[in-house]
């Protein structure tokens, strides 16, 4: 960090880029390439592969730490992103980050939206765009919930489907043959607790009182 600051003290300014994608699939990698190309003029670029909703983003924190240190050293410091939602899709997180940057005398630049927070207009537009990004995220959640609801109405089973009848019959047969819940669980590829529940559901008595006592915690 000291080397970076020293190298730019003669210029009196520094641009720090931040790029983020949510995962490592091909489409996301293409998006990362676009961001890196747009930020290639920056003096230092930090790259993150993490969801924007995750607050634990170490590369963003490193970018902020460098920016604050540079600003404290009297450098004209800019934090540059390709698009505002690379920082956050949540309005309140974005506003908090903008306030943090403003207090540290760090300018925020968004290339896609052509925004710079060194003006009141830029600050207002950043907040509005952050609000739009959060609304879009909420719309996605709403569409997902509607899709799940409609699927349920059509009779589609969602989530954990439980044991099939064939699997339950297999567990019963194995237990009747072995009279041992642990062996039954191993051969059926299920937990011992699942074996207990199946036997209870099928009203099959366990081999001994000791085993029965072991299962009381399941009630």
């Amino acid at each position: 960090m000291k080397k970076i600051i020293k190298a730019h003290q003669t210029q009196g300014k520094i641009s720090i880029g931040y790029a983020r994608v949510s995962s490592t699939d091909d489409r996301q990698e293409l998006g990362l390439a676009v961001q890196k190309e747009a930020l290639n003029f920056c003096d230092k670029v930090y790259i993150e592969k993490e969801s924007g909703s995750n607050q634990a983003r170490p590369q963003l924190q490193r970018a902020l730490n460098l920016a604050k240190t540079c600003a404290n050293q009297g450098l004209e410091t800019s934090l540059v992103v390709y698009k505002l939602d690379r920082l956050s899709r949540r309005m309140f997180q974005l506003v908090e980050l903008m306030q943090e940057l403003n207090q540290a005398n760090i300018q925020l630049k968004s290339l896609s939206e052509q925004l710079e927070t060194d003006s009141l207009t830029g600050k207002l537009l950043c907040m509005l765009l952050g609000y739009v990004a959060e609304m879009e995220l909420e719309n996605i959640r709403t569409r997902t919930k509607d899709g799940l609801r409609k699927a349920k109405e059509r009779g589609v089973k969602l989530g954990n489907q439980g044991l099939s009848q064939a699997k339950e019959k297999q567990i019963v047969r194995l237990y009747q043959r072995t009279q041992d819940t642990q062996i039954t669980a191993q051969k059926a590829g299920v937990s011992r607790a699942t074996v207990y529940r199946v036997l209870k559901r099928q009203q099959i008595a366990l081999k001994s009182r000791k085993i029965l006592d072991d299962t009381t915690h399941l009630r």
Side-chain angles (χ1 to χ4, degrees), residues 16-123:
I16 302 168
Y18 175 73
R20 181 186 63 79
V21 291
S22 299
S23 62
T24 57
D25 62 40
D26 293 340
R27 186 172 57 183
Q28 292 286 318
E29 289 295 334
L30 179 60
L32 180 59
V34 171
Q35 293 180 66
K36 289 168 66 176
E37 183 178 358
L39 297 172
N40 63 4
F41 69 91
C42 293
D43 302 301
K44 176 71 175 177
V45 177
Y46 290 87
I47 298 172
E48 195 109 66
K49 294 183 179 180
E50 188 65 69
S51 170
S53 61
N54 188 351
Q55 295 186 11
R57 286 183 279 166
Q59 295 304 317
L60 176 58
Q61 192 58 54
R62 289 188 179 96
L64 294 174
N65 290 341
L66 175 59
K68 290 178 181 179
T69 302
C70 291
N72 287 335
Q73 293 294 321
L75 294 178
E76 182 182 328
T77 306
S78 298
L79 178 65
V80 188
V81 293
Y82 176 70
K83 198 173 181 181
L84 209 57
D85 65 5
R86 298 303 84 196
L87 288 173
S88 178
R89 287 182 177 272
R90 296 181 180 276
M91 180 184 64
F92 295 113
Q93 288 181 0
L94 186 60
V95 171
E96 287 177 359
L97 180 56
M98 286 176 55
Q99 291 174 342
E100 183 180 347
L101 294 174
N102 288 335
Q103 290 172 1
N105 198 29
I106 300 167
Q107 183 183 16
L108 173 62
K109 294 183 178 181
S110 175
L111 302 179
S112 182
E113 291 95 354
Q114 298 182 351
L115 293 178
E116 299 181 1
T117 58
D118 59 348
S119 68
L120 290 175
T121 302
K123 293 173 184 177

Side-chain angles (χ1 to χ4, degrees), residues 104-150:
N105 198 29
I106 300 167
Q107 183 183 16
L108 173 62
K109 294 183 178 181
S110 175
L111 302 179
S112 182
E113 291 95 354
Q114 298 182 351
L115 293 178
E116 299 181 1
T117 58
D118 59 348
S119 68
L120 290 175
T121 302
K123 293 173 184 177
L124 176 61
L125 287 175
C126 279
M127 286 188 286
L128 288 175
L129 286 170
Y131 180 68
V132 170
E134 186 173 2
M135 283 187 64
E136 178 59 25
L137 190 62
E138 185 61 31
N139 287 337
I140 292 172
R141 292 195 185 107
T142 301
R143 289 194 294 267
T144 300
K145 289 179 180 178
D146 287 342
L148 293 174
R149 177 180 55 78
K150 291 177 181 178

